[in-house]
């Protein structure tokens, strides 16, 4: 087959109006879109559906197995084709891990401007995704491709979990400790990268973070004292933290000083790289978040910064904190940290930043 793409290709990020999980439809808009949809059938074996905006659907197969099913895809967050594929695949598999599951296979979702990008570039994207799946021990068993105006890549990801060990974002209990597995600031740094204004050291840290599989999730699923889990992605730490609070029916408190951040995030934010998605997240979730009076606009922007392939947010009993942190360390997550706690039950749950 002859490759008809031009010899000089545009940067991948120049072909997308947004990148990574910052492409998500704003939460408030999505809620309005879905409000008039037909109430779905809820079979008895559907253990997790759309009720609490969780990371994946879970279907009970039998007494010992449940199927975890999810999909995720987006436009380029970086210009390197292989890295784009790796990041998108890592992000998609994260939803399986966030439910306490172990991936079993993936299907590729591919939309590419075939007259703009070379076959070699498109192949490198798919190769990057396949490499991540291989690292997770699963095959890319099929997929679907279309010719699209913007590059799109992602996966349908399937996994298995014991029905008694499913972790949702709705199980946090009063007194639990919150642990965050990765540093935040991905959206801000990727914005700086897209404009060619991200220092090489910060770019290296960014890529290392967003291509690190959230494999601790499967082991955390085995710990009974882990009561809730989600991954922090497009709605930012603020949005996903509030979703956990609402799903669990409890107020949640996060100590802002304890939240780990990628290097260069505050500097990039100060240079004007806060994303539009951050503002949309605040517009959707801000009414449910209490901020200290001295928290400035830049910090608020970081709180709601969309995270592509972000870290796991775990709620566990205090006595399990050591085991949870040790599990993260065993998988190479050196920046995992306790960042907050679950407060009392509430009829109108809120996220408090202190």
């Amino acid at each position: 087959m002859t490759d008809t793409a031009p010899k000089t290709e545009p940067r991948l990020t120049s072909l997308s109006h947004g990148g990574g999980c910052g492409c998500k439809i704003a939460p408030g808009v999505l809620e309005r879109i879905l409000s008039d949809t037909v109430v779905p059938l809820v079979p008895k074996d559907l253990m997790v559906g759309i009720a609490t905006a969780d990371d994946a659907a879970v279907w009970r197969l039998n007494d010992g197995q449940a199927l975890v099913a999810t999909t995720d895809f987006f436009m380029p967050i970086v210009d390197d084709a292989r890295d784009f594929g790796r990041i998108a695949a890592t992000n998609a598999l994260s939803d399986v891990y966030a439910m306490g599951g172990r991936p079993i296979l993936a299907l590729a979702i591919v939309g590419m401007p075939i007259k703009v990008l070379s076959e070699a570039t498109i192949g490198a994207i798919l190769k990057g995704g396949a490499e991540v799946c291989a690292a997770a021990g699963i095959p890319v068993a099929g997929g679907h491709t279309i010719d699209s105006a913007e590059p799109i890549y992602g996966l349908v990801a399937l996994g298995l979990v014991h029905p008694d060990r499913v972790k949702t974002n709705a199980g946090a209990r009063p007194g639990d400790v919150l642990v965050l597995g990765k540093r935040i600031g991905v959206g801000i740094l990727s914005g700086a990268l897209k404009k060619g204004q991200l220092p090489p050291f910060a770019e290296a840290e960014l890529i290392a973070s967003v291509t690190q599989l959230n494999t601790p999730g499967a082991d955390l699923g085995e710990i009974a004292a882990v009561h809730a889990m989600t991954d922090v992605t497009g709605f930012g730490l603020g949005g996903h933290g509030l979703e956990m609070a609402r799903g669990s029916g409890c107020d949640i408190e996060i100590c802002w000083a304890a939240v780990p951040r990628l290097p260069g995030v505050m500097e990039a934010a100060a240079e004007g790289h806060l994303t539009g998605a951050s503002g949309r997240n605040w517009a959707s979730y801000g009414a449910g978040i209490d901020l200290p009076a001295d928290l400035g606009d830049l910090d608020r922007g970081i709180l709601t910064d969309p995270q592509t392939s972000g870290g796991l947010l775990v709620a566990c009993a205090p006595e399990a904190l050591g085991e949870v942190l040790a599990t993260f360390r065993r998988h190479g997550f050196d920046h995992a940290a306790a960042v907050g706690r679950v407060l009392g039950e509430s009829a109108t749950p809120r996220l408090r930043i202190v």
Side-chain angles (χ1 to χ4, degrees):
M1 182 181 293
T2 302
D3 188 348
T4 59
K7 298 302 180 183
T8 302
E9 296 182 52
R11 296 171 59 198
L12 283 179
T13 55
S14 73
L15 298 175
S16 59
H17 73 279
C21 287
C23 300
K24 283 187 176 183
I25 294 175
V29 175
L30 183 59
E31 183 178 354
R32 293 194 297 273
I33 291 171
L34 296 176
S35 64
D36 291 330
T37 58
V38 177
V39 176
L41 176 69
V42 183
K44 64 180 180 62
D45 288 319
L46 182 63
M47 298 180 64
V48 181
I50 64 174
T52 59
D54 221 318
D55 299 298
V58 181
W59 181 275
R60 184 190 302 272
L61 297 173
N62 51 54
D63 290 343
Q65 292 179 312
L67 179 69
V68 182
T70 184
T71 184
D72 213 314
F73 53 89
F74 45 63
M75 281 84 82
I77 189 175
V78 294
D79 290 313
D80 184 275
R82 175 173 166 267
D83 281 345
F84 171 38
R86 293 168 65 212
I87 294 165
T90 304
N91 179 74
L93 293 176
S94 181
D95 287 339
V96 174
Y97 293 122
M99 307 302 293
R102 298 180 188 276
I104 55 172
L105 66 86
L107 305 173
I109 299 170
V110 184
M112 293 291 158
I114 58 174
K115 294 182 179 179
V116 177
L117 295 178
S118 68
E119 293 172 7
T121 295
I122 296 171
I125 294 170
L126 272 60
K127 180 180 179 181
E131 288 175 358
V132 165
C133 288
I138 65 169
V140 179
H144 186 67
T145 62
I146 63 169
D147 183 3
S148 65
E150 295 180 275
I152 298 169
Y153 178 70
L155 300 175
V156 173
L158 302 177
L160 291 175
V161 64
H162 192 286
D164 295 338
R165 299 180 189 130
V166 175
K167 304 299 181 183
T168 73
N169 66 355
R173 304 176 186 177
D176 279 354
V177 178
L178 292 180
V179 177
L180 181 62
K182 289 186 182 182
R183 296 173 289 181
I184 65 172
V186 171
I188 292 166
L189 294 188
S190 62
L193 178 63
K194 185 174 182 177
K195 296 177 182 177
Q197 297 175 10
L198 187 66
F201 81 92
E203 179 179 354
E205 294 280 355
L206 171 65
I207 299 301
S209 179
V210 294
T211 57
Q212 187 175 23
L213 282 164
N214 274 322
T215 51
D219 288 343
L220 292 169
E222 303 285 338
I223 302 174
V226 170
H227 299 142
M229 190 156 55
T230 190
D231 61 343
V232 178
T233 52
F235 302 148
L237 179 59
H240 289 284
L242 182 58
E243 292 284 6
M244 181 177 283
R246 288 173 172 171
S248 303
C250 297
D251 290 331
I252 283 179
E253 180 181 274
I254 289 178
C255 177
W256 188 234
V259 175
R261 302 167 206 183
L262 286 161
V265 167
M266 182 58 77
E267 293 82 358
E271 291 166 2
H273 297 298
L274 289 174
T275 67
S278 178
R280 292 192 294 273
N281 284 339
W282 179 256
S284 297
Y285 289 111
I289 301 175
D290 297 327
L291 301 178
D294 59 350
L295 194 77
D297 290 343
L298 295 184
D299 284 299
R300 191 186 76 178
I302 296 171
L303 174 68
T304 54
D305 182 52
Q307 303 304 289
T308 299
S309 192
L312 297 175
L313 182 64
V314 181
C316 67
E319 61 270 20
L321 177 59
E323 184 179 6
V324 168
L325 289 174
T327 300
F328 274 112
R329 303 285 186 263
R330 188 169 67 248
H331 286 261
F333 286 71
D334 297 332
H335 300 285
V339 298
R341 60 190 179 128
V342 180
L343 305 176
E345 295 181 357
S346 173
T348 55
R350 302 186 64 79
L351 177 66
R352 301 176 183 176
I353 309 300
V354 297

